[in-house]
Amino acid sequence: MLRKLSDAGCITLFLGVESADQQQLDRVNKQTTIEKIRRAFALARENDIRTIASVVLGMPGDTRESIERTIKFTKELNPSYAVFSLATPYPGTRFYQEAMQDNLIKVNDWSKYTLLSPVLDTVDCSLDELKSMQKKAFRQFYLRPIYLMKQVRMDGPVLLKTVATMIKEV
């Protein structure tokens, strides 16, 4: 299927990785495994399709350790790009209802529900710690010398501008 996508002109896939913790994937009913995620990224590379790994940090049940594992896993997947969002329970979703029942929501200002501002505590991370870990994830992913060299060859100066903007905004 990826070969057909590539032949048809597909150049990039946005893939929901979410977490490196299988229990977290099961908890959010992701219906995939860590191994399937690895395989999807490898197959995309084999078919010359760029990838964007979408990751969620700070889901209920996350710990500093599980977040660190997820950041490391994302780098191991070797996607073209990565987006490190913070868990955000939007009103009307099952996630929101569960977070309300468990008293996890710490911010009720809807303007903060942007995927970039922490609104939930985790098992052992405060809102400030979550924001700090998100910044760390972006820096560790995008500021790797080997990553920068590879991507500059592929995307040129646009990449540098994009990375600088993302790091500044986060």
Side-chain angles (χ1 to χ4, degrees), residues 2 13 15 35-45 51:
L2 286 174
L13 288 176
L15 301 167
E35 195 48 49
K36 285 181 182 178
I37 293 169
R38 278 193 178 100
R39 181 111 172 97
F41 279 86
L43 288 170
R45 249 188 322 282
T51 53

Side-chain angles (χ1 to χ4, degrees), residues 5-151:
L5 283 169
S6 180
D7 291 345
C10 176
I11 59 170
T12 307
L13 288 176
F14 190 96
L15 301 167
V17 173
E18 317 313 353
S19 177
D21 185 321
Q22 188 62 52
Q23 287 180 319
Q24 288 290 52
L25 296 178
D26 295 344
R27 189 175 294 128
V28 298
N29 199 26
K30 188 70 177 161
Q31 298 183 350
T32 193
T33 64
I34 299 299
E35 195 48 49
K36 285 181 182 178
I37 293 169
R38 278 193 178 100
R39 181 111 172 97
F41 279 86
L43 288 170
R45 249 188 322 282
E46 288 173 20
N47 287 282
D48 299 317
I49 297 175
R50 293 178 185 163
T51 53
I52 301 169
S54 174
V55 178
V56 179
L57 306 176
M59 290 191 285
D62 262 347
T63 62
R64 284 183 199 93
E65 183 181 297
S66 68
I67 292 170
E68 292 287 348
R69 241 186 354 265
T70 296
I71 295 167
K72 181 180 177 191
F73 177 62
T74 304
K75 291 187 291 186
E76 289 169 5
L77 291 174
N78 196 25
S80 307
Y81 299 96
V83 177
F84 297 95
S85 300
L86 294 172
T88 305
Y90 290 103
T93 64
R94 185 174 59 116
F95 181 23
Y96 179 81
Q97 292 169 351
E98 291 171 0
M100 285 294 286
Q101 286 173 352
D102 295 339
N103 199 30
L104 298 175
I105 296 176
K106 304 303 175 195
V107 176
N108 290 310
D109 177 354
W110 303 124
S111 70
K112 304 285 188 210
Y113 282 50
T114 64
L115 303 177
L116 296 175
S117 296
V119 297
L120 297 174
D121 279 337
T122 67
V123 172
D124 65 354
C125 295
S126 69
L127 299 181
D128 288 340
E129 288 172 309
L130 283 173
K131 185 65 179 173
S132 178
M133 293 185 88
Q134 182 190 40
K135 287 179 181 181
K136 178 181 177 180
F138 275 108
R139 287 186 179 113
Q140 282 187 3
F141 183 84
Y142 284 105
L143 298 181
R144 296 173 291 152
I146 196 156
Y147 172 82
L148 287 170
M149 290 187 306
K150 178 185 90 170
Q151 291 303 112

Side-chain angles (χ1 to χ4, degrees), residues 145-164:
I146 196 156
Y147 172 82
L148 287 170
M149 290 187 306
K150 178 185 90 170
Q151 291 303 112
V152 166
R153 274 195 310 272
M154 201 160 54
D155 293 330
V158 171
L159 167 76
L160 296 177
K161 185 176 179 181
T162 302
V163 169

